[in-house]
Amino acid sequence: MKKVLVLFLLVFLVGCSNNTEVKEEVKEIVETKEEVSSINRIISTAPSNTEVIVGLGLGDKIVAVDNFSDKSEIPHDVVLMDMMAPNMELIMSLEPDVIITSNLNSEGGSPFDQIIDLGYNVVNIETANSIEDIYSSIEAIGIAVEKEEESKIMVKNLREEIEEIREKSKQIEERKKVYFELGNFSGSLYSLGNGTYIDEIISVVGGENIFHEQESWIVVSGESIVDKDPEIIVTSSSMADSVAEEIKTREGFSEVEAIKNDRVHVLKTSNLSRGSQKVIIGIRELAEVMYPNVYK
Amino acid sequence: MFINSSKLKFIILISVLIVVIFLGVALGSVHIGLRDIIEIFKIKIFNLDMEIETPKYMSIIWQLRFPRVLVGILSGSALAVSGLLFQTILKNPIASPYTLGVSTGASIGVAIGVILGVSNFMLSVLGFTVSILVVGFILLVASLYDKSLSNVSIILIGMVTSLTLNGFLTLLILFAGESSGQIIYWQMGSLSLKTYKNFVDLLVVLVISVTYISFKHVELDILSFGEYEAKKIGLDVGKLKIIIIGVATLLTAVVVSLNGVIGFIGLVSPHIARKIFGSRHKLLIPGSIIIGSIILVSADMVARTVMQPSELPVGAITALMGGPFFGYVYLRKGKK
């Protein structure tokens, strides 16, 4: 759409002037625009990578994505694939210029090995474990899709926004103890420790993750949550009301500070769970629910 | 063994169970001193109007740990009895509560629930319903195909149905997208966050089922000698089979829909009970119940303490402990 608009404007300009020199110049611009990138067909295999690619303005160049990626911002129909078991024939028939994979897809021998052996351009992005990792993933994708400048700007903006929040968090005198629940899977409570960027984000906005001394993604016991007595409980779900209610009425949790003070918050967006430039939306939401006085 | 009186054996087993329950309450992912625990129980049992030093320990012991141990006792019992019934009815030593696809059925119910995004309570309801439907379907097909309802037919149709449904389950997990983790977690089984209400629900089902089964212990004995003998005596084998499979399925379905899939207890407990008590169901039923409780409560204790404050899925622990143990029990029997 944008391209059509640019062309239209250019033609309009050309139409206005009778100068042949201008005409030549415009022709040149149009031609170089066409050749500016050799990346025209992209396959993305992870939601966070897809968001970055779309953010770099290449949504229209994506030809296939994994089942979990957000398709709403891709302006045309794309092929959906199960990236745990990618269909090689389909991938080849799509003639991708680059395939952006994530290490989510490569547990013990990547299913893309075959494609790499065939000489396809496969760029693997490690899942982000820290905020710095998110920055470097964005830059790596930028290089892979030949949008290096844009990706650097994207990282710069993101960094500024995050640092701004970090700066504001210094006003907070008493850092609150936070329990971040990723999910209650029929009693198995899923949370996170250090070595995850969400743990880092909790600290950036001025909180303290009660399971910080644990590593990575973990299943925690109800007992240890009650023992650590968090002042704020945060979770994220599409079913906000019922989830909050379930936590508040959870057997044995009534003495927990967060429950006593009605500080159970359900994040409405899933942006925090994706290591892309959109993580900032999740960070802001987290900051606002945790310290409304400071951030709102 | 020098002990021959079964009464003495029961006394020993019950003592072991009491020790295990005691340890189950005393140990957990949060360390709480014995004195505090005794204090808490005193306050709760005698309804004293007293405060303890650390009020949060009250919640941990009384609302999180104790109900969990209680649910563990009943779930272990139910799985063990269910396993015993399946092994007797199908005259198959490797039959377990899951032979007829109860776990696959429940998993499918839960998977559908997860995809629809229902609450944890509704997940249990769906799991229970689908598992009962699956076993009902198997029995229906088996009885249409084979009027005498032979074990081979039941097991074969059960296997075929299970395999087919497993394929369906794999597809559901795929469709579940990001929620697939929830289905997989559920399948591993956990006693986390169980309540007194869960305990009472289980208790009602268990008491009714076991009482009923106890009246049938002679029939079960006869059946374990062989169907031919049973028929000769005039037992309506087909009807008995359907009723007993129904009861066994009900027991397992309740446990599985509440806790997820906890394996091996239903397979191992009856074998241990047979080693200790011989083959009479009058003793095998209570024996399996106690052994099943001991195994599940101790497995759960391991699950929540070895990697504290993190928890392991209890289903993985029962399999890790149960597998080698079963091999030992069974191979030793072969040597004789």
Side-chain angles (χ1 to χ4, degrees):
Chain A
M1 194 60 209
K2 250 183 204 159
K3 222 183 238 166
V4 175
L5 211 73
V6 170
L7 270 171
F8 179 76
L9 273 174
L10 289 173
V11 170
F12 184 68
L13 276 171
V14 174
C16 283
S17 78
N18 289 321
N19 196 331
T20 46
E21 234 180 80
V22 176
K23 241 181 198 171
E24 280 304 305
E25 235 179 78
V26 167
K27 208 175 158 196
E28 220 178 84
I29 292 173
V30 173
E31 272 170 4
T32 47
K33 271 273 176 217
E34 284 302 298
E35 286 170 0
V36 77
S37 169
S38 60
I39 303 289
N40 285 305
R41 304 178 65 79
I42 305 169
I43 295 182
S44 169
T45 76
S48 53
N49 296 344
T50 306
E51 276 178 8
V52 175
I53 297 166
V54 170
L56 292 171
L58 294 176
D60 58 338
K61 304 238 166 130
I62 295 177
V63 290
V65 293
D66 62 289
N67 293 318
F68 308 147
S69 281
D70 179 11
K71 271 75 69 181
S72 63
E73 289 189 54
I74 302 172
H76 56 275
D77 284 342
V78 285
V79 176
L80 296 185
M81 282 188 197
D82 169 20
M83 294 301 176
M84 295 296 181
N87 180 339
M88 292 303 156
E89 291 182 16
L90 187 58
I91 289 180
M92 287 176 180
S93 74
L94 289 169
E95 297 177 354
D97 297 317
V98 63
I99 303 169
I100 313 276
T101 63
S102 152
N103 66 340
L104 286 174
N105 309 116
S106 61
E107 280 164 16
S110 151
F112 287 90
D113 284 351
Q114 203 184 351
I115 276 280
I116 297 169
D117 289 343
L118 286 169
Y120 280 83
N121 182 14
V122 177
V123 177
N124 187 50
I125 307 293
E126 295 285 318
T127 300
N129 290 326
S130 64
I131 296 174
E132 277 306 319
D133 279 357
I134 298 178
Y135 299 153
S136 46
S137 310
I138 294 175
E139 282 178 358
I141 293 171
I143 294 169
V145 299
E146 296 178 2
K147 287 274 183 189
E148 213 176 332
E149 280 305 307
E150 288 84 342
S151 71
K152 285 206 167 121
I153 294 169
M154 188 186 266
V155 169
K156 187 172 157 276
N157 291 341
L158 181 59
R159 195 188 290 273
E160 276 171 14
E161 286 177 280
I162 291 179
E163 288 315 309
E164 197 182 309
I165 289 175
R166 203 195 293 272
E167 205 49 47
K168 264 192 181 173
S169 78
K170 288 181 180 154
Q171 304 170 27
I172 296 158
E173 282 160 15
E174 205 189 339
R175 294 170 83 84
K176 295 224 186 287
K177 287 192 286 176
V178 182
Y179 164 54
F180 197 103
E181 184 166 294
L182 290 165
N184 169 6
F185 299 158
S186 304
S188 292
L189 305 176
Y190 207 31
S191 186
L192 46 92
N194 69 62
T196 61
Y197 65 82
I198 297 183
D199 175 72
E200 204 183 338
I201 285 169
I202 291 171
S203 127
V204 166
V205 304
E208 207 175 90
N209 177 10
I210 58 168
F211 291 110
H212 177 73
E213 77 279 12
Q214 297 299 308
E215 256 170 60
S216 179
W217 317 96
I218 45 166
V219 175
V220 295
S221 66
E223 292 186 8
S224 59
I225 299 165
V226 174
D227 186 48
K228 289 177 188 298
D229 203 11
E231 295 160 279
I232 298 178
I233 296 177
V234 182
T235 184
S236 104
S237 172
S238 47
M239 304 175 295
D241 295 337
S242 64
V243 170
E245 205 45 43
E246 186 271 317
I247 294 176
K248 282 179 201 164
T249 55
R250 205 174 271 173
E251 206 82 22
F253 275 46
S254 54
E255 290 299 311
V256 174
E257 273 308 302
I259 310 275
K260 279 197 281 192
N261 302 324
D262 201 18
R263 294 292 314 259
V264 178
H265 303 289
V266 184
L267 301 181
K268 287 173 200 75
T269 68
S270 64
N271 290 301
L272 213 50
S273 60
R274 299 204 172 149
S276 74
Q277 73 282 6
K278 287 197 171 176
V279 76
I280 189 66
I281 302 173
I283 298 179
R284 285 218 188 91
E285 199 185 353
L286 180 70
E288 282 172 19
V289 298
M290 276 174 58
Y291 302 102
N293 300 334
V294 179
Y295 293 105
K296 260 189 183 158
Chain B
M1 240 187 252
F2 295 108
I3 317 150
N4 277 319
S5 143
S6 49
K7 219 177 227 169
L8 192 58
K9 289 177 187 169
F10 271 115
I11 291 172
I12 293 173
L13 271 184
I14 289 172
S15 320
V16 174
L17 178 61
I18 290 171
V19 171
V20 169
I21 292 172
F22 176 77
L23 289 174
V25 175
L27 302 174
S29 51
V30 174
H31 177 77
I32 297 175
L34 207 53
R35 192 172 299 168
D36 281 328
I37 296 178
I38 293 168
E39 194 81 345
I40 290 165
F41 273 86
K42 257 201 287 190
I43 294 174
K44 283 295 176 184
I45 289 169
F46 301 110
N47 210 4
L48 302 177
D49 191 22
M50 262 168 66
E51 283 284 318
I52 58 161
E53 252 174 83
T54 340
K56 69 184 177 188
Y57 287 169
M58 185 81 104
S59 311
I60 291 178
I61 294 291
W62 193 252
Q63 282 174 302
L64 290 167
R65 208 180 284 175
F66 192 48
R68 180 175 184 152
V69 171
L70 292 177
V71 168
I73 297 171
L74 297 189
S75 301
S77 310
L79 288 172
V81 177
S82 177
L84 172 70
L85 295 176
F86 273 115
Q87 286 174 5
T88 302
I89 284 291
L90 299 176
K91 253 189 104 45
N92 190 326
I94 57 165
S96 82
Y98 304 141
T99 305
L100 293 191
V102 178
S103 58
T104 316
S107 301
I108 285 178
V110 167
I112 294 170
V114 167
I115 292 171
L116 296 176
V118 301
S119 68
N120 278 338
F121 172 74
M122 276 310 289
L123 283 186
S124 295
V125 174
L126 273 170
F128 179 80
T129 316
V130 178
S131 60
I132 298 282
L133 285 177
V134 167
V135 177
F137 171 80
I138 290 168
L139 287 181
L140 184 72
V141 174
S143 61
L144 288 176
Y145 161 82
D146 174 3
K147 285 270 179 301
S148 68
L149 217 61
S150 79
N151 293 337
V152 178
S153 318
I154 297 179
I155 293 176
L156 273 180
I157 291 167
M159 269 174 60
V160 171
T161 313
S162 270
L163 286 172
T164 314
L165 290 176
N166 259 319
F168 183 51
L169 179 64
T170 310
L171 287 182
L172 284 177
I173 291 176
L174 194 65
F175 291 141
E178 283 183 324
S179 333
S180 57
Q182 190 173 354
I183 305 170
I184 294 163
Y185 257 102
W186 180 85
Q187 281 188 304
M188 293 191 229
S190 167
L191 292 177
S192 179
L193 295 190
K194 295 298 174 280
T195 62
Y196 289 107
K197 193 188 164 296
N198 297 145
F199 169 73
V200 174
D201 292 347
L202 267 177
L203 190 66
V204 171
V205 176
L206 192 68
V207 167
I208 295 173
S209 309
V210 172
T211 312
Y212 178 79
I213 294 298
S214 305
F215 285 116
K216 296 277 177 199
H217 71 92
V218 179
E219 280 94 329
L220 287 168
D221 285 345
I222 297 168
L223 203 60
S224 59
F225 289 128
E227 277 179 42
Y228 181 69
E229 283 78 6
K231 275 181 190 151
K232 226 163 49 180
I233 297 170
L235 214 60
D236 187 346
V237 176
K239 193 179 151 202
L240 184 67
K241 267 187 186 175
I242 290 183
I243 292 174
I244 299 292
I245 290 177
V247 173
T249 302
L250 174 75
L251 282 169
T252 302
V254 171
V255 174
V256 170
S257 57
L258 185 64
N259 305 315
V261 183
I262 300 173
F264 277 94
I265 290 180
L267 177 67
V268 177
S269 314
H271 279 284
I272 300 172
R274 269 189 217 101
K275 279 248 147 202
I276 300 175
F277 296 104
S279 57
R280 288 175 61 209
H281 282 80
K282 194 182 171 185
L283 302 176
L284 274 180
I285 296 169
S288 302
I289 286 180
I290 301 170
I291 292 163
S293 325
I294 294 174
I295 297 178
L296 187 52
V297 174
S298 30
D300 185 48
M301 197 164 64
V302 173
R304 61 204 158 88
T305 50
V306 286
M307 282 185 67
Q308 51 186 311
S310 183
E311 274 191 20
L312 299 175
V314 71
I317 304 292
T318 54
L320 275 174
M321 291 184 1
F325 190 73
F326 178 66
Y328 170 74
V329 171
Y330 212 71
L331 292 176
R332 228 178 51 148
K333 190 170 149 193
K335 226 167 67 179
K336 256 184 189 172

